Coordinates of all heavy atoms in Angstrom, one line a residue:
E201 N -10.4 -8.5 -19.1 CA -10.3 -9.0 -20.5 C -9.1 -9.8 -20.8 O -9.1 -10.8 -21.4 CB -10.5 -7.9 -21.4 CG -11.9 -7.2 -21.3 CD -12.0 -6.0 -22.2 OE1 -11.0 -5.6 -22.8 OE2 -13.1 -5.5 -22.4
L202 N -7.9 -9.3 -20.3 CA -6.6 -9.9 -20.5 C -6.6 -11.3 -19.8 O -6.1 -12.3 -20.4 CB -5.5 -9.1 -20.1 CG -5.2 -7.8 -20.9 CD1 -4.1 -7.0 -20.3 CD2 -4.8 -8.2 -22.3
E203 N -7.1 -11.4 -18.6 CA -7.1 -12.6 -17.9 C -8.0 -13.6 -18.6 O -7.7 -14.8 -18.7 CB -7.5 -12.4 -16.4 CG -6.5 -11.6 -15.6 CD -7.1 -11.3 -14.2 OE1 -8.3 -11.4 -14.0 OE2 -6.3 -10.7 -13.4
Q204 N -9.2 -13.1 -19.0 CA -10.1 -14.1 -19.7 C -9.4 -14.5 -21.0 O -9.5 -15.7 -21.4 CB -11.4 -13.3 -20.0 CG -12.4 -14.2 -20.7 CD -12.9 -15.3 -19.7 OE1 -12.8 -15.2 -18.5 NE2 -13.5 -16.4 -20.3
F205 N -8.7 -13.6 -21.7 CA -8.1 -14.0 -23.0 C -7.0 -15.0 -22.7 O -6.8 -16.0 -23.5 CB -7.5 -12.7 -23.6 CG -6.6 -13.0 -24.8 CD1 -7.1 -13.4 -26.0 CD2 -5.2 -13.0 -24.6 CE1 -6.3 -13.7 -27.1 CE2 -4.4 -13.3 -25.7 CZ -4.9 -13.6 -26.9
A206 N -6.2 -14.8 -21.7 CA -5.1 -15.7 -21.3 C -5.7 -17.1 -21.0 O -5.1 -18.1 -21.5 CB -4.3 -15.2 -20.2
Y207 N -6.7 -17.1 -20.3 CA -7.3 -18.4 -19.9 C -7.9 -19.1 -21.2 O -7.6 -20.3 -21.4 CB -8.4 -18.2 -18.9 CG -9.1 -19.5 -18.5 CD1 -8.5 -20.4 -17.6 CD2 -10.3 -19.9 -19.0 CE1 -9.1 -21.6 -17.2 CE2 -11.0 -21.0 -18.7 CZ -10.3 -21.9 -17.8 OH -10.9 -23.1 -17.4
V208 N -8.6 -18.4 -22.0 CA -9.2 -19.0 -23.2 C -8.2 -19.4 -24.1 O -8.2 -20.5 -24.7 CB -10.2 -18.0 -23.8 CG1 -10.7 -18.6 -25.2 CG2 -11.4 -17.8 -22.9
A209 N -7.2 -18.5 -24.4 CA -6.1 -18.8 -25.3 C -5.3 -20.1 -24.9 O -5.0 -21.0 -25.6 CB -5.2 -17.6 -25.5
S210 N -5.0 -20.1 -23.6 CA -4.2 -21.2 -23.1 C -5.0 -22.5 -23.1 O -4.5 -23.6 -23.5 CB -3.7 -21.0 -21.6 OG -4.9 -20.8 -20.8
H211 N -6.3 -22.4 -22.9 CA -7.1 -23.6 -22.9 C -7.3 -24.1 -24.3 O -7.2 -25.3 -24.6 CB -8.5 -23.3 -22.2 CG -9.4 -24.5 -22.2 ND1 -10.3 -24.8 -23.2 CD2 -9.6 -25.5 -21.3 CE1 -11.0 -25.9 -22.9 NE2 -10.5 -26.3 -21.7
D212 N -7.6 -23.2 -25.2 CA -7.8 -23.6 -26.6 C -6.6 -24.0 -27.4 O -6.7 -24.7 -28.4 CB -8.5 -22.4 -27.4 CG -9.9 -22.1 -26.9 OD1 -10.4 -22.9 -26.1 OD2 -10.4 -21.0 -27.2
L213 N -5.4 -23.6 -26.9 CA -4.2 -23.9 -27.6 C -3.7 -25.3 -27.2 O -2.8 -25.8 -27.9 CB -3.1 -22.9 -27.3 CG -3.2 -21.5 -28.1 CD1 -2.2 -20.6 -27.6 CD2 -3.1 -21.8 -29.6
Q214 N -4.2 -25.8 -26.1 CA -3.6 -27.0 -25.6 C -3.9 -28.2 -26.6 O -3.1 -29.0 -26.8 CB -4.3 -27.4 -24.2 CG -3.9 -26.4 -23.1 CD -2.5 -26.7 -22.6 OE1 -1.9 -27.7 -23.0 NE2 -1.9 -25.8 -21.9
E215 N -5.2 -28.2 -27.1 CA -5.6 -29.3 -27.9 C -4.8 -29.4 -29.2 O -4.3 -30.5 -29.6 CB -7.1 -29.3 -28.2 CG -7.6 -30.5 -29.0 CD -7.4 -31.8 -28.3 OE1 -7.3 -31.8 -27.0 OE2 -7.3 -32.8 -29.0
P216 N -4.6 -28.3 -30.0 CA -3.8 -28.4 -31.2 C -2.4 -28.8 -30.9 O -1.8 -29.6 -31.7 CB -3.9 -26.9 -31.7 CG -5.1 -26.4 -31.2 CD -5.3 -27.0 -29.8
L217 N -1.8 -28.3 -29.8 CA -0.4 -28.7 -29.5 C -0.3 -30.2 -29.2 O 0.7 -30.9 -29.6 CB 0.1 -27.8 -28.3 CG 0.4 -26.4 -28.6 CD1 0.7 -25.6 -27.4 CD2 1.5 -26.3 -29.7
R218 N -1.3 -30.7 -28.5 CA -1.3 -32.1 -28.2 C -1.4 -33.0 -29.5 O -0.8 -34.0 -29.6 CB -2.5 -32.5 -27.2 CG -2.2 -32.2 -25.8 CD -3.2 -32.9 -24.9 NE -4.5 -32.3 -25.0 CZ -5.0 -31.3 -24.3 NH1 -4.2 -30.8 -23.3 NH2 -6.2 -30.8 -24.5
K219 N -2.2 -32.4 -30.4 CA -2.3 -33.2 -31.7 C -1.0 -33.1 -32.4 O -0.6 -34.1 -33.0 CB -3.4 -32.5 -32.5 CG -4.8 -32.9 -32.0 CD -5.9 -32.4 -32.9 CE -7.3 -32.8 -32.5 NZ -8.4 -32.3 -33.4
V220 N -0.3 -32.0 -32.4 CA 0.9 -31.8 -33.1 C 1.9 -32.8 -32.6 O 2.6 -33.6 -33.3 CB 1.5 -30.4 -33.1 CG1 2.9 -30.3 -33.6 CG2 0.6 -29.5 -33.9
A221 N 2.0 -32.9 -31.2 CA 3.0 -33.8 -30.6 C 2.6 -35.2 -30.8 O 3.5 -36.1 -31.2 CB 3.1 -33.5 -29.1
S222 N 1.3 -35.6 -30.7 CA 0.9 -37.0 -30.8 C 1.1 -37.5 -32.2 O 1.7 -38.6 -32.4 CB -0.6 -37.1 -30.4 OG -0.7 -36.7 -29.0
F223 N 0.6 -36.7 -33.2 CA 0.7 -37.2 -34.6 C 2.2 -37.2 -35.1 O 2.6 -38.0 -35.9 CB -0.1 -36.3 -35.5 CG -1.6 -36.7 -35.4 CD1 -2.5 -35.9 -34.7 CD2 -2.1 -37.8 -36.1 CE1 -3.8 -36.3 -34.6 CE2 -3.4 -38.2 -36.1 CZ -4.3 -37.4 -35.3
S224 N 3.0 -36.3 -34.6 CA 4.4 -36.3 -34.9 C 5.1 -37.6 -34.4 O 5.9 -38.3 -35.1 CB 5.2 -35.1 -34.4 OG 4.6 -33.9 -35.0
Q225 N 4.7 -38.0 -33.2 CA 5.3 -39.2 -32.6 C 4.7 -40.4 -33.3 O 5.4 -41.4 -33.6 CB 4.9 -39.3 -31.1 CG 5.7 -38.2 -30.3 CD 5.2 -38.2 -28.8 OE1 4.1 -38.6 -28.5 NE2 6.1 -37.8 -28.0
M226 N 3.4 -40.4 -33.7 CA 2.8 -41.5 -34.5 C 3.5 -41.6 -35.8 O 3.7 -42.7 -36.3 CB 1.3 -41.3 -34.6 CG 0.6 -41.5 -33.3 SD -1.2 -41.0 -33.5 CE -1.7 -42.3 -34.7
L227 N 3.8 -40.5 -36.4 CA 4.5 -40.5 -37.7 C 5.8 -41.2 -37.6 O 6.2 -42.0 -38.5 CB 4.6 -39.1 -38.2 CG 5.2 -38.9 -39.6 CD1 4.3 -39.5 -40.7 CD2 5.4 -37.4 -39.9
E228 N 6.5 -40.9 -36.6 CA 7.9 -41.5 -36.4 C 7.8 -43.0 -36.1 O 8.6 -43.8 -36.6 CB 8.6 -40.8 -35.2 CG 10.0 -41.3 -35.0 CD 10.7 -40.6 -33.8 OE1 10.0 -39.9 -33.0 OE2 11.9 -40.7 -33.8
Q229 N 6.8 -43.4 -35.3 CA 6.6 -44.8 -35.0 C 6.2 -45.6 -36.2 O 6.7 -46.7 -36.5 CB 5.6 -44.9 -33.9 CG 6.0 -44.4 -32.5 CD 4.9 -44.4 -31.5 OE1 3.8 -44.9 -31.8 NE2 5.2 -43.9 -30.3
R230 N 5.3 -45.1 -37.0 CA 4.7 -45.8 -38.2 C 5.7 -45.8 -39.3 O 5.9 -46.9 -40.0 CB 3.4 -45.3 -38.6 CG 2.8 -46.0 -39.8 CD 1.3 -45.6 -40.0 NE 0.5 -46.1 -38.8 CZ -0.8 -45.9 -38.8 NH1 -1.5 -45.4 -39.8 NH2 -1.5 -46.3 -37.7
Y231 N 6.3 -44.7 -39.6 CA 7.2 -44.7 -40.8 C 8.7 -44.5 -40.4 O 9.4 -43.9 -41.2 CB 6.7 -43.5 -41.7 CG 5.3 -43.6 -42.1 CD1 4.3 -42.9 -41.5 CD2 4.9 -44.5 -43.1 CE1 3.0 -42.9 -41.9 CE2 3.6 -44.6 -43.5 CZ 2.6 -43.8 -42.9 OH 1.3 -43.9 -43.3
G232 N 9.0 -44.9 -39.2 CA 10.4 -44.7 -38.8 C 11.4 -45.4 -39.6 O 12.5 -44.8 -39.9
D233 N 11.1 -46.6 -40.1 CA 12.1 -47.3 -41.0 C 12.2 -46.7 -42.3 O 13.2 -47.0 -43.1 CB 11.6 -48.8 -41.1 CG 10.2 -48.9 -41.6 OD1 9.5 -47.9 -41.6 OD2 9.8 -50.0 -42.0
Q234 N 11.3 -45.8 -42.7 CA 11.4 -45.2 -44.0 C 12.0 -43.8 -43.9 O 12.2 -43.1 -45.0 CB 10.0 -45.1 -44.7 CG 9.3 -46.4 -44.8 CD 7.9 -46.2 -45.3 OE1 7.6 -45.3 -46.0 NE2 7.1 -47.3 -45.1
L235 N 12.3 -43.3 -42.7 CA 12.9 -41.9 -42.5 C 14.4 -42.0 -42.3 O 14.9 -42.9 -41.7 CB 12.2 -41.3 -41.3 CG 10.6 -41.1 -41.4 CD1 10.1 -40.6 -40.1 CD2 10.2 -40.3 -42.6
D236 N 15.0 -41.0 -42.8 CA 16.4 -40.8 -42.6 C 16.6 -40.1 -41.3 O 15.7 -39.7 -40.6 CB 17.1 -40.2 -43.8 CG 16.6 -38.8 -44.0 OD1 15.8 -38.3 -43.2 OD2 17.0 -38.2 -45.1
E237 N 17.9 -39.9 -40.9 CA 18.3 -39.2 -39.7 C 17.8 -37.8 -39.6 O 17.3 -37.3 -38.6 CB 19.8 -39.3 -39.5 CG 20.2 -38.7 -38.1 CD 19.7 -39.6 -37.0 OE1 19.4 -40.8 -37.2 OE2 19.5 -39.0 -35.9
R238 N 17.9 -37.1 -40.7 CA 17.4 -35.7 -40.7 C 15.9 -35.6 -40.5 O 15.4 -34.7 -39.8 CB 17.8 -35.0 -42.0 CG 17.3 -33.6 -42.2 CD 17.9 -32.9 -43.3 NE 19.4 -32.7 -43.1 CZ 20.1 -32.1 -44.0 NH1 19.6 -31.5 -45.1 NH2 21.4 -31.9 -43.8
A239 N 15.1 -36.5 -41.1 CA 13.7 -36.5 -40.9 C 13.3 -36.8 -39.4 O 12.4 -36.1 -38.9 CB 13.0 -37.5 -41.8
R240 N 14.0 -37.8 -38.8 CA 13.8 -38.0 -37.4 C 14.2 -36.8 -36.6 O 13.5 -36.5 -35.6 CB 14.6 -39.2 -37.0 CG 14.2 -40.5 -37.6 CD 14.9 -41.7 -36.9 NE 14.6 -42.9 -37.6 CZ 15.4 -43.5 -38.5 NH1 16.5 -42.9 -38.9 NH2 15.1 -44.6 -39.1
Q241 N 15.2 -36.1 -37.0 CA 15.6 -34.9 -36.2 C 14.5 -33.8 -36.3 O 14.2 -33.1 -35.4 CB 16.9 -34.4 -36.7 CG 17.5 -33.2 -35.9 CD 18.8 -32.8 -36.4 OE1 19.2 -33.0 -37.6 NE2 19.6 -32.1 -35.6
Y242 N 13.9 -33.7 -37.5 CA 12.8 -32.7 -37.7 C 11.6 -33.0 -36.8 O 11.0 -32.2 -36.2 CB 12.4 -32.6 -39.2 CG 13.5 -32.0 -40.1 CD1 13.4 -32.2 -41.4 CD2 14.5 -31.2 -39.5 CE1 14.4 -31.6 -42.3 CE2 15.4 -30.6 -40.4 CZ 15.4 -30.8 -41.7 OH 16.3 -30.3 -42.6
I243 N 11.3 -34.3 -36.8 CA 10.2 -34.8 -36.0 C 10.5 -34.5 -34.5 O 9.6 -34.0 -33.7 CB 9.9 -36.2 -36.2 CG1 9.3 -36.5 -37.6 CG2 8.9 -36.8 -35.2 CD1 9.1 -37.9 -38.0
H244 N 11.7 -34.7 -34.1 CA 12.1 -34.5 -32.7 C 11.9 -33.0 -32.4 O 11.4 -32.6 -31.3 CB 13.5 -34.9 -32.5 CG 14.1 -34.5 -31.1 ND1 13.7 -35.1 -29.9 CD2 15.0 -33.5 -30.8 CE1 14.3 -34.5 -29.0 NE2 15.1 -33.5 -29.5
Y245 N 12.4 -32.1 -33.3 CA 12.2 -30.7 -33.1 C 10.7 -30.3 -33.0 O 10.3 -29.4 -32.1 CB 12.8 -29.9 -34.3 CG 14.3 -29.9 -34.3 CD1 15.0 -29.7 -35.5 CD2 15.1 -30.2 -33.2 CE1 16.4 -29.8 -35.5 CE2 16.4 -30.2 -33.2 CZ 17.1 -30.0 -34.4 OH 18.5 -30.1 -34.4
A246 N 9.9 -30.9 -33.8 CA 8.5 -30.6 -33.7 C 7.8 -31.0 -32.4 O 7.1 -30.2 -31.8 CB 7.7 -31.2 -34.9
V247 N 8.2 -32.2 -32.0 CA 7.6 -32.7 -30.7 C 8.2 -31.8 -29.5 O 7.4 -31.5 -28.6 CB 8.0 -34.2 -30.5 CG1 7.6 -34.6 -29.1 CG2 7.3 -35.0 -31.6
D248 N 9.5 -31.5 -29.5 CA 10.0 -30.7 -28.5 C 9.4 -29.3 -28.4 O 9.1 -28.8 -27.4 CB 11.6 -30.7 -28.7 CG 12.2 -29.9 -27.6 OD1 12.2 -30.3 -26.4 OD2 12.7 -28.8 -27.9
G249 N 9.2 -28.7 -29.6 CA 8.6 -27.4 -29.6 C 7.2 -27.4 -29.1 O 6.8 -26.5 -28.4
A250 N 6.4 -28.5 -29.5 CA 5.1 -28.5 -29.0 C 5.0 -28.7 -27.5 O 4.2 -28.1 -26.8 CB 4.3 -29.7 -29.7
K251 N 5.9 -29.5 -26.9 CA 5.9 -29.7 -25.5 C 6.4 -28.5 -24.8 O 5.8 -28.1 -23.7 CB 6.9 -30.9 -25.2 CG 6.4 -32.3 -25.6 CD 7.3 -33.4 -25.2 CE 6.8 -34.7 -25.5 NZ 7.7 -35.8 -25.2
R252 N 7.4 -27.8 -25.3 CA 7.8 -26.5 -24.7 C 6.7 -25.5 -24.7 O 6.5 -24.7 -23.8 CB 9.1 -26.0 -25.3 CG 10.3 -26.8 -24.9 CD 11.6 -26.1 -25.3 NE 11.8 -26.1 -26.7 CZ 11.7 -25.0 -27.5 NH1 11.4 -23.8 -27.0 NH2 12.0 -25.0 -28.8
M253 N 5.9 -25.4 -25.8 CA 4.8 -24.5 -25.9 C 3.7 -24.9 -24.9 O 3.1 -24.0 -24.3 CB 4.2 -24.5 -27.3 CG 3.1 -23.6 -27.5 SD 3.5 -21.9 -27.2 CE 4.4 -21.5 -28.7
Q254 N 3.5 -26.1 -24.7 CA 2.5 -26.5 -23.7 C 2.9 -26.1 -22.3 O 2.1 -25.6 -21.5 CB 2.3 -28.1 -23.7 CG 1.4 -28.5 -24.9 CD 1.2 -30.0 -24.8 OE1 2.2 -30.8 -24.5 NE2 0.0 -30.5 -25.1
L255 N 4.2 -26.3 -22.0 CA 4.7 -25.9 -20.7 C 4.6 -24.4 -20.6 O 4.3 -23.9 -19.5 CB 6.2 -26.3 -20.6 CG 6.9 -26.0 -19.3 CD1 6.2 -26.6 -18.1 CD2 8.4 -26.4 -19.4
L256 N 4.9 -23.6 -21.6 CA 4.9 -22.2 -21.5 C 3.4 -21.7 -21.3 O 3.2 -20.8 -20.5 CB 5.4 -21.6 -22.8 CG 5.4 -20.0 -23.0 CD1 6.2 -19.4 -21.9 CD2 5.9 -19.6 -24.3
I257 N 2.5 -22.3 -22.0 CA 1.1 -22.0 -21.9 C 0.6 -22.3 -20.4 O -0.1 -21.5 -19.8 CB 0.2 -22.7 -22.9 CG1 0.5 -22.2 -24.3 CG2 -1.3 -22.6 -22.6 CD1 -0.2 -22.9 -25.4
N258 N 1.0 -23.4 -19.9 CA 0.6 -23.8 -18.5 C 1.2 -22.7 -17.5 O 0.5 -22.3 -16.5 CB 1.1 -25.2 -18.2 CG 0.3 -26.2 -18.9 OD1 -0.9 -26.0 -19.2 ND2 0.9 -27.4 -19.2
D259 N 2.4 -22.3 -17.7 CA 3.0 -21.3 -16.8 C 2.3 -20.0 -17.0 O 2.1 -19.3 -16.0 CB 4.5 -21.2 -17.2 CG 5.4 -22.4 -16.7 OD1 4.8 -23.2 -15.9 OD2 6.5 -22.5 -17.2

Side-chain angles (χ1 to χ4, degrees):
E201 293 177 352
L202 287 175
E203 290 171 352
Q204 184 67 21
F205 170 78
Y207 178 79
V208 172
S210 61
H211 182 271
D212 293 346
L213 285 174
Q214 294 286 347
E215 184 60 27
L217 288 174
R218 279 194 293 267
K219 286 185 177 180
V220 170
S222 298
F223 281 100
S224 297
Q225 290 173 336
M226 290 174 61
L227 183 64
E228 182 180 17
Q229 292 173 1
R230 178 168 297 185
Y231 302 102
D233 55 347
Q234 304 177 24
L235 300 176
D236 58 9
E237 185 62 28
R238 178 169 294 184
R240 294 190 185 94
Q241 187 178 21
Y242 289 163
I243 293 177
H244 171 74
Y245 288 157
V247 173
D248 181 67
K251 290 182 177 179
R252 284 195 289 109
M253 180 61 75
Q254 283 182 318
L255 180 61
L256 179 62
I257 290 174
N258 289 330
D259 288 345

